[in-house]
Amino acid sequence: MSLKLKNQENNTLTLALNQDKILKGLNTEQADAVKSLNGPLIIVAGAGSGKTKVITHRIANLLDNGIAPWNILALTFTNKAAKELKHRIATLVGENLSDKIWAGTFHSVFARILRYEAKEIGYDSNFTIYDADDQLAAIRSVMNMEGVSQQHYPPQQIRSFISNAKNQMIDAKEYNSKAINSLDKQVGFVYKHYENYLRQNNAMDFDDLLLNMIYLLGKSQDVLNKYQNKFKYILVDEYQDTNKAQYIVINQLSKAHQNICVVGDDAQSIYKWRGADIRNILDFQKQYPYAKIVRLEQNYRSTKTILEAADSLIKNNKNQIPKTLWTQNKQGDLIEVISCDDEKDEASKIVNNIVKSIGKYRDIRDFAILYRTNAQSLFLENALRFAKLPYVIIGGISFYKRKEVKDALAYIKILVNHYDAESLLRIINEPPRGLGNTSLQHIKEYSKNNNITLYEAFNQADMNSHLQGRAVTAAKKFINLIDKYKTDLENDNIKQTVMNYLDDTGLAEMYKEIGTEEANDRWNNIQQVISDITTFIKENPESTLGDYLQQISLLSDYDEKDTSGNHVTLMTLHSAKGLEYPTVFIAGLEQGLFPLIRGGESDKDDLEEERRLLYVGITRAEEQLYLSYAQRRTKFGETQFAMPSSFLREIDLNTLNWPSLKRMTEKKEQSERQLGINTLNKIANKGYNEYSQVNDDYSYSQVPSQAKAPAPKQESYKVGDIVNHSMFGRGMVTGMKGDGDMKQAIVRFDKFGKKNLMLKFAKLEKIK
DNA sequence: TAAAAAATCGTTTTT
DNA sequence: CGATTTTTTA
């Protein structure tokens, strides 16, 4: 009796202590959200409103109220977010509890479940996950096998059609039944065969991880019950970016207990292009009429000026939940709008700004440079390198997307899942092993005719009458290699096996033979894969090679980069979501680039999403914000003139310091009067090279422009000469005219058509 | 069959 | 322009 009482006292005591810790430092709305544990709850969390704090404290509160951690499912947008979530919960309630929470991305959590339940849906548990590149390669293979012309139907386009269909949960059967025109029919045809191909390969693409999860839950009431009871409390972060399939899984899982909490901000929805459906968040209260709604509108991150700017911009969107962010922070500095000549000038102005304030009131890690497209990073990198500032680029070419790394991984994938024909084809001639296209074609046909896997067709090479003796030997040798290490893998330790295996593949020899620095780098990257595996096995002693593959296939570049070091951070606006920096630069605010307009057409919704993207960018800044644009920019090796982004004009002028605005307006009016903007552009494009030559010696304050390679002096050309031009590329000389300084060559370029070039300026190089 | 040359394509943004 | 894919040639 007394013992029981004592226990109770202790419990109450710990509870009280934790409750104190859990609710400490929260404002009224935040505390409200943290205390609302049961039933549907939507938290509309504005930028910088302490969203992560609320999520972590709410989960801590669930645990504190005796909910078992394994009954909690937290779905986040990135692995990194999940990791941070766990970490922050751990500081509140300890690692013992936080480690047992199911926290991860949709894809990683579902992959984990699907491996466990693979048999239920007719897969092997060691299935391979195809990323977008693998997906494309697989579609190419299918089109090849089924004889669909890749000229008429670009695989890239087919891929995106199929992926979009999957995002909307339309399977091949349904797609085919709805296909009217010939394109749709062809896509449907490829789709059907692609689905079969994936199953044959025991592979799933990213979209399948969601679809198969739905399929699994719909398979039987037992399975559904099992997971409904497992995940009694569900939390979804970044809910505005969920798609239809994700919505359905969440809906199914939470049906029984209705303990579903979603967190998001419709103003930060930036993934419509990937199938995100903003209606999920807008209609949450329709789906759950009894849902409680909590709005977090106090911003703790930015100055008043920055918030006002963001607010004035987003007001231009029609489809938006009206809300007012407010802050107690100081008014802060005006936002600087910087006009630049070109991307080089832009880069140096940004970097010089950084250099100026480092050491005074800023550290290197306080800066982030954001841009719309990855391609923009190049000039910024150059300027940062010149200024000797350490920097890290998030995104871009991921380590795991490098050719040699993918090759090495394909070798390993084959070991784990030998049904995976894509991986097999990828490495069959890496290095070349005497199996050319003809032999390969025969083996593929054999596998198709006998309805066996490609691996098996290789294995039966000696039964294939079309194959030459040499090809049979080569195929057998290849199969023996894989079989040997498959066996080794079962007996020996993973690290040693993988090392021997990759050595035995001939990759090392191949790269050593090439001998260039690049080849050396590539081999080093493969070594890096091996040490990556070693680390993984060390950290997860019970794990298999398959577990390793699973982990990395769902890891984005964003997750692996260390963002804690002291460096400037460069990334796209999309990657910047959820982050914050004292000083933020947003580069390339030009019409056409941001908002990005591709292929001429863009509808209202696209423009609104671009606007939200800028909104996300602006609200990353704590104290200082710089917006820059260049007057000309090189795209696809061609220089284009650009107008400042229309978004700049939507931002409240009272929040901006835009010195060149007035001057620009005058100049623009003047030139439009004189020439008309079209003529201006025409002249500019035609004579750009000469123009740039004359103006090349800009005077930079701290980061000068990089000197261009000197143009080779070439006196004359004759008709028929093949020449190379630094900007227009390859072309053929079709005529000459003028004399002396005025001497010009008429060149028909492969890509840019006919141009008259003054030899005095043009950097022509004779090829033939 | 494999290396070299030529042509083509692409740039949004990512799990 | 640069990377990748296709075609040509040895």
Side-chain angles (χ1 to χ4, degrees):
Chain A
M1 177 73 187
S2 69
L3 191 73
K4 201 177 172 188
L5 201 74
K6 204 176 173 189
N7 267 346
Q8 262 176 4
E9 257 170 40
N10 268 347
N11 274 341
T12 326
L13 195 64
T14 11
L15 197 75
L17 268 178
N18 278 340
Q19 282 293 305
D20 204 35
K21 211 157 128 194
I22 284 165
L23 294 174
K24 199 179 155 193
L26 299 176
N27 68 32
T28 319
E29 291 77 27
Q30 289 174 332
D32 188 16
V34 168
K35 285 190 280 190
S36 307
L37 301 182
N38 291 303
L41 169 70
I42 175 169
I43 303 172
V44 180
S49 62
K51 180 190 72 172
T52 313
K53 193 174 183 180
V54 169
I55 299 175
T56 50
H57 285 239
R58 186 172 175 276
I59 292 178
N61 200 19
L62 284 171
L63 295 168
D64 203 43
N65 276 271
I67 310 295
W70 49 84
N71 287 143
I72 299 173
L73 172 66
L75 297 167
T76 60
F77 196 69
T78 61
N79 294 299
K80 193 184 167 193
K83 220 165 153 185
E84 190 185 336
L85 196 68
K86 278 188 169 184
H87 178 73
R88 286 175 67 164
I89 296 168
T91 61
L92 289 167
V93 296
E95 260 181 32
N96 282 346
L97 287 173
S98 69
D99 271 358
K100 297 184 184 80
I101 295 169
W102 278 65
T105 62
F106 280 90
H107 296 265
S108 66
V109 168
F110 294 174
R112 188 172 157 191
I113 295 172
L114 287 171
R115 281 201 201 281
Y116 189 73
E117 306 281 358
K119 288 283 172 292
E120 289 279 334
I121 55 167
Y123 268 93
D124 262 17
S125 70
N126 53 2
F127 61 81
T128 304
I129 297 171
Y130 284 178
D131 67 17
D133 288 345
D134 302 330
Q135 197 184 18
L136 183 64
I139 285 169
R140 282 216 168 95
S141 304
V142 169
M143 290 174 77
N144 256 331
M145 277 186 291
E146 303 304 325
V148 180
S149 158
Q150 304 201 11
Q151 260 71 49
H152 290 257
Y153 305 98
Q156 194 71 256
Q157 205 184 342
I158 303 247
R159 194 204 71 83
S160 102
F161 272 114
I162 293 177
S163 186
N164 285 340
K166 285 188 172 188
N167 276 326
Q168 292 168 65
M169 294 184 55
I170 300 167
D171 63 10
K173 209 170 159 192
E174 190 185 345
Y175 198 99
N176 275 303
S177 71
K178 282 184 181 161
I180 305 161
N181 60 41
S182 66
L183 175 66
D184 278 349
K185 279 179 187 159
Q186 207 59 245
V187 172
F189 178 78
V190 176
Y191 191 179
K192 188 178 99 193
H193 286 279
Y194 172 65
E195 277 190 344
N196 290 339
Y197 187 67
L198 285 176
R199 284 214 165 246
Q200 267 170 30
N201 287 359
N202 191 32
M204 293 185 198
D205 62 26
F206 278 178
D207 305 320
D208 287 335
L209 292 173
L210 307 179
L211 293 184
N212 283 328
M213 189 67 199
I214 296 174
Y215 178 53
L216 174 72
L217 293 179
K219 200 89 206 285
S220 72
Q221 194 60 42
D222 281 355
V223 177
L224 184 61
N225 287 343
K226 178 173 159 190
Y227 286 99
Q228 282 180 340
N229 284 324
K230 175 152 188 58
F231 302 127
K232 292 196 173 76
Y233 288 84
I234 299 174
L235 181 134
V236 184
D237 191 14
E238 308 284 11
Y239 191 65
Q240 75 279 356
D241 287 325
T242 50
N243 66 19
K244 188 175 177 188
Q246 289 164 326
Y247 163 77
I248 288 177
V249 179
I250 299 163
N251 188 262
Q252 288 294 310
L253 287 175
S254 62
K255 223 169 201 162
H257 294 91
Q258 300 271 311
N259 294 322
I260 167 84
C261 168
V262 302
V263 189
D265 178 6
D266 58 301
Q268 295 186 63
S269 160
I270 53 175
Y271 285 103
K272 183 184 156 224
W273 54 273
R274 211 177 68 189
D277 193 341
I278 197 168
R279 281 175 305 180
N280 286 348
I281 191 164
L282 298 180
D283 293 350
F284 186 80
Q285 288 183 90
K286 275 185 210 157
Q287 300 295 332
Y288 300 92
Y290 302 107
K292 175 169 180 165
I293 178 165
V294 176
R295 292 170 198 273
L296 305 179
E297 294 185 324
Q298 181 175 4
N299 173 295
Y300 294 93
R301 180 187 294 153
S302 310
T303 63
K304 287 196 173 71
T305 302
I306 289 168
L307 274 193
E308 283 162 18
D311 188 55
S312 62
L313 174 77
I314 204 69
K315 274 207 170 84
N316 290 281
N317 272 10
K318 291 216 165 60
N319 297 319
Q320 214 71 225
I321 303 177
K323 67 171 85 64
T324 324
L325 279 186
W326 60 279
T327 184
Q328 289 176 343
N329 293 346
K330 62 184 181 190
Q331 189 65 39
D333 300 341
L334 287 177
I335 295 160
E336 300 287 334
V337 181
I338 312 171
S339 166
C340 311
D341 298 337
D342 56 16
E343 56 264 75
K344 211 190 286 175
D345 185 35
E346 181 182 50
S348 59
K349 279 179 171 148
I350 289 174
V351 172
N352 289 340
N353 250 312
I354 297 176
V355 171
K356 242 180 359 207
S357 38
I358 283 178
K360 289 185 199 152
Y361 54 98
R362 286 279 184 266
D363 202 355
I364 305 175
R365 61 162 57 82
D366 296 338
F367 298 94
I369 309 175
L370 312 180
Y371 37 78
R372 181 65 240 269
T373 63
N374 278 312
Q376 287 168 254
S377 71
L378 194 67
F379 284 89
L380 295 163
E381 283 181 72
N382 287 340
L384 285 163
R385 259 201 303 273
F386 190 91
K388 298 200 164 46
L389 284 175
Y391 65 91
V392 161
I393 297 181
I394 294 175
I397 310 136
S398 156
F399 176 74
Y400 297 105
K401 283 199 174 125
R402 286 168 195 272
K403 184 189 173 298
E404 66 276 16
V405 174
K406 289 206 89 164
D407 288 344
L409 291 174
Y411 270 108
I412 295 170
K413 283 181 190 172
I414 277 291
L415 228 46
V416 172
N417 169 22
H418 66 241
Y419 296 117
D420 183 3
E422 270 317 302
S423 295
L424 201 158
L425 289 172
R426 183 181 179 98
I427 51 173
I428 190 63
N429 275 316
E430 205 67 39
R433 40 171 74 76
L435 279 164
N437 229 328
T438 346
S439 310
L440 220 50
Q441 217 51 45
H442 287 312
I443 298 178
K444 279 188 200 167
E445 258 159 47
Y446 186 87
S447 104
K448 202 180 167 191
N449 293 340
N450 295 286
N451 202 19
I452 53 176
T453 64
L454 194 63
Y455 178 88
E456 196 48 37
F458 265 83
N459 198 21
Q460 294 178 19
D462 45 352
M463 325 251 282
N464 191 331
S465 55
H466 295 283
L467 289 181
Q468 304 283 325
R470 263 193 318 191
V472 174
T473 321
K476 280 283 183 189
K477 202 177 156 199
F478 181 69
I479 291 294
N480 285 339
L481 173 82
I482 291 168
D483 281 351
K484 175 181 188 301
Y485 286 97
K486 229 181 147 100
T487 321
D488 282 7
L489 201 58
E490 283 156 19
N491 307 322
D492 302 348
N493 83 68
I494 294 178
K495 182 194 166 187
Q496 198 55 47
T497 308
V498 171
M499 273 176 74
N500 294 345
Y501 174 52
L502 289 183
D503 209 43
D504 225 359
T505 56
L507 280 177
E509 256 170 275
M510 185 181 82
Y511 286 120
K512 261 169 215 152
E513 236 162 68
I514 300 171
T516 60
E517 201 177 320
E518 194 202 346
N520 194 30
D521 282 351
R522 286 178 188 269
W523 177 243
N524 282 339
N525 284 334
I526 294 179
Q527 295 289 302
Q528 185 62 45
V529 173
I530 297 176
S531 77
D532 199 38
I533 293 173
T534 315
T535 317
F536 179 81
I537 299 296
K538 211 176 270 171
E539 282 171 7
N540 312 277
E542 297 299 306
S543 296
T544 63
L545 212 46
D547 295 330
Y548 169 77
L549 289 176
Q550 136 98 13
Q551 188 228 209
I552 59 154
S553 66
L554 296 172
L555 199 68
S556 72
D557 194 44
Y558 180 85
D559 297 311
E560 61 183 280
K561 281 279 165 57
D562 170 30
T563 42
S564 60
N566 202 11
H567 47 237
V568 179
T569 307
L570 278 72
M571 65 191 133
T572 64
L573 286 127
H574 282 89
S575 320
K577 195 167 72 165
L579 304 176
E580 57 188 12
Y581 294 87
T583 302
V584 169
F585 296 87
I586 303 178
L589 276 151
E590 292 136 41
Q591 207 55 18
L593 180 62
F594 195 7
L596 186 75
I597 296 157
R598 60 171 174 165
E601 101 295 351
S602 77
D603 64 38
K604 271 246 156 52
D605 286 355
D606 290 341
L607 190 68
E608 296 213 342
E609 178 141 320
E610 293 285 318
R611 198 177 276 117
R612 288 193 293 269
L613 192 54
L614 181 56
Y615 177 82
V616 168
I618 292 174
T619 53
R620 298 310 96 196
E622 292 170 356
E623 290 173 0
Q624 268 139 351
L625 178 64
Y626 295 83
L627 307 174
S628 60
Y629 59 88
Q631 292 173 27
R632 55 191 137 80
R633 187 174 291 275
T634 313
K635 269 180 195 168
F636 288 116
E638 192 179 12
T639 301
Q640 289 175 349
F641 282 68
M643 304 286 289
S645 170
S646 55
F647 291 156
L648 285 171
R649 291 176 180 276
E650 295 175 1
I651 300 174
D652 186 348
L653 272 177
N654 293 322
T655 66
L656 301 179
N657 178 30
W658 190 352
S660 57
L661 176 62
K662 194 158 174 278
R663 209 178 51 209
M664 190 187 65
T665 317
E666 283 165 4
K667 219 160 88 186
K668 190 184 141 218
E669 279 167 2
Q670 198 184 11
S671 40
E672 273 177 2
R673 255 202 316 279
Q674 284 174 359
L675 293 159
I677 194 74
N678 284 336
T679 328
L680 187 70
N681 266 332
K682 237 182 250 167
I683 291 172
N685 278 333
K686 194 174 170 189
Y688 171 70
N689 197 48
E690 291 81 351
Y691 174 70
S692 117
Q693 180 89 355
V694 175
N695 289 280
D696 219 12
D697 56 339
Y698 299 113
S699 51
Y700 292 102
S701 47
Q702 290 153 72
V703 181
S705 67
Q706 296 89 354
K708 281 184 180 170
K713 288 276 174 287
Q714 190 85 39
E715 288 311 309
S716 187
Y717 303 90
K718 55 182 187 299
V719 176
D721 281 354
I722 305 291
V723 292
N724 189 45
H725 184 271
S726 63
M727 191 147 298
F728 302 129
R730 212 185 89 108
M732 184 194 265
V733 178
T734 57
M736 301 293 296
K737 69 177 179 184
D739 271 310
D741 270 7
M742 292 300 288
K743 196 163 189 174
Q744 298 163 57
I746 305 158
V747 185
R748 188 168 46 80
F749 288 100
D750 295 354
K751 291 168 223 171
F752 297 97
K754 229 177 205 178
K755 305 261 178 210
N756 285 4
L757 300 171
M758 293 184 70
L759 297 184
K760 188 181 158 193
F761 298 122
K763 294 163 195 152
L764 282 182
E765 181 193 352
K766 193 169 161 180
I767 302 176
K768 257 185 201 164

